[in-house]
Amino acid sequence: MVLEKPVLVVNLTGYPDTVPYVSSGAAIGVYREEEIAPAIESALWGGEQIQKMLQAQRKFVEDYVFKIAGKSKERVFQLLFIC
């Protein structure tokens, strides 16, 4: 997601997803074996659907990971050495 690429969540366990990637629209969910190939095709050639997912990914990353500002090295340095 951070690299702004389509993401597939493959969960064949029968248990609910533990992270809301799919429910937030940031990933394509695959819950049965026969859904894998169509999901990969959708991720590669989904057009408008993929554009919507990439927008949801940006929001997800911003909300849950951190803002992408190209300054991660500086933030890690501050955490390690300036505390």
Side-chain angles (χ1 to χ4, degrees), residues 3-80:
L3 298 175
E4 296 186 356
K5 301 295 182 194
V7 173
L8 299 178
V9 171
V10 180
N11 179 356
L12 305 177
T13 66
Y15 295 105
D17 293 336
T18 56
V19 181
Y21 299 128
V22 176
S23 62
S24 71
I28 298 169
V30 177
Y31 300 99
R32 294 186 319 222
E33 204 172 312
E34 60 271 11
E35 296 173 344
I36 294 173
I40 292 171
E41 288 181 24
S42 177
L44 293 173
W45 299 289
E48 187 177 319
Q49 176 189 2
I50 295 304
Q51 293 308 311
K52 288 180 183 178
M53 182 176 60
L54 292 175
Q55 288 174 348
Q57 284 180 354
R58 287 184 203 104
K59 181 172 178 8
F60 189 92
V61 168
E62 189 176 299
D63 291 347
Y64 292 98
V65 179
F66 198 68
K67 58 185 170 189
I68 300 173
K71 298 187 183 243
S72 60
K73 182 172 67 173
E74 288 87 354
R75 286 194 298 271
V76 170
F77 183 81
Q78 287 179 343
L79 284 172
L80 293 175

